[in-house]
Amino acid sequence: MAAVPGGWRATGLVPAGAGSDARGRPEPMTDRVLIVDFGSQVTQLIARRVREAGVYSEIVPFDKAAAALQAQRPKAVILSGGPASVIGVEPPRAPQEVFEIGVPVLGICYGQQVMCAQLGGAVETSAHREFGRAFVEIVADCALFEGVWRPGAREQVWMSHGDRVSAPPPGFRVVARTEDAPFAAIADDDRRLYGLQFHPEVVHTPHGAALLDSFARQVAGCAGDWTMAAFRDTAIEGIRAQVGDGRVICGLSGGVDSSVAAMLIHEAIGDRLTCVFVDHGLLRAGEAEEVVGLFRDRFNLPLIVRDAGGLFLGKLAGVADPEAKRKIIGATFIDVFEDAANEVGGADFLAQGTLYPDVIESISSTGGPSVTIKSHHNVGGLPERMRMTLVEPLRMLFKDEVRGLGRELGLPDHLVGRHPFPGPGLAIRMPGPVDADRLEALRRADAVYIEEIRAAGLYDAIWQAFAVLLPVRSVGVMGDSRSYEDVLALRAVTAIDGMTADYYPLPHDFLGRVASRIINEVPGINRVVYDVTSKPPGTIEWE
């Protein structure tokens, strides 16, 4: 179905995707979908699915949506789900102009209900709530379903609602239903307005990603040219425009985010970037040597290295509270980092590997935009004496997009695909006080675990795996004597997006092999357990 021109021209504006370069060719990556967030825990998944279709998308809170519409002029709008009820007192609403500017609109769950409420339909509290897996009957075709679902089919979806549409607005027709949701999907093809009671963004709706692709590409007519190759060129131009002739300093941890940010900025401004690597002595085995070898020797980035392990361990001596440990590590990192920055005569800009989930969290919070550094070091913000402007070239990217950009920049696969590692390092994977002996035991055990995961070919199937040295000791028998030694916990989680996760079902023979190696090779540990807890929605990093 051909896309219908949007209604922006009637307002004197044009859709974001209508720009052209000096030769009259369409500008790449200018089509965008605006996602109006009503507080759903999985709103970020909508943005990810749209971007997977090759279309740029951004999330904006519902109370800031009117301004975003004017500023961004999207080619389509998606209304997310949310915990509120449109039947309640002063429920969250979409800007009315969303339905008047002529661009396609897709309402999901609460988004469908608020669309119906604002356009003359009706919503009721259902006597039979639907949460979890359900099956919809496709009763009619529509532009949204074209190439995805056919009338007469029965399709699995994921439901999460207590209210339901009881009467669609004028102009809408029902295109899918369940026994408890007679208007599970509604469509108005003439105005390109669609509502889904279920969640197409989650993996539990098998064809949901295809529906979002259809909405962005077929219904809205977006070009689908959002790629990391094109983003790389655009980002480099943006860095050069922001920095000008200034100098940039970057805290390089060796993790994916800071590494990609450093490589991108170096490509933009060359040796006017200086990287600082602070070895706080809390890294995994061999990581400090790898960072120096890769970035200084292979990629020839200007790099200052500070071996400050003894300083950090001294500051952490006797400290058991995890938040206190974080603050000590953050404050000490700032001191070491500032000393290194002074060595090169200071800088005008500070590079930071902020990602889009951090941005979403900050703009959605009541406290307003965050000014804290959300880098791998969690340094807790810069002191006022360090007057630098932030350079955040990755701030609109999700983690998987950062990995793709890293490949575009030539970073090796083993670094690009590295599991997330928290800034405080092994200090927070050791509940209780940190001391050199227990730290070394944890480092060696963790190295055995990761080595076996790689040898089994499981590393890339796991989102994050690591060892935790518990503040628990166990009585055991080793050989002809009893032992009273530490207990080690192993974690491995699987996730598509890092926003929700479940434990990875490691085979029993694998776990037995790892446990045997750790107990035999690492003094001080006599028991190994596997953690099968899951990660709830809404938390970004599993530490």
Side-chain angles (χ1 to χ4, degrees), residues 2 55 82 94 102 138 145 177 186 209 237 261 264 301-302 305 359 391 408 468 495 532:
V55 178
I138 311 304
F145 290 174
R177 66 189 177 203
I186 56 176
E237 291 177 7
L264 185 64
L301 268 69
V305 179
V359 176
V391 178
E408 286 289 334
V468 178
V532 296

Side-chain angles (χ1 to χ4, degrees), residues 36 38 62 64-67 69 79 93-99 118:
V36 179
F38 290 100
F62 72 92
K64 298 180 176 66
L69 282 173
L79 309 178
R93 293 172 62 89
Q96 195 63 31
E97 54 264 40
V98 164
F99 309 110
Q118 292 184 222

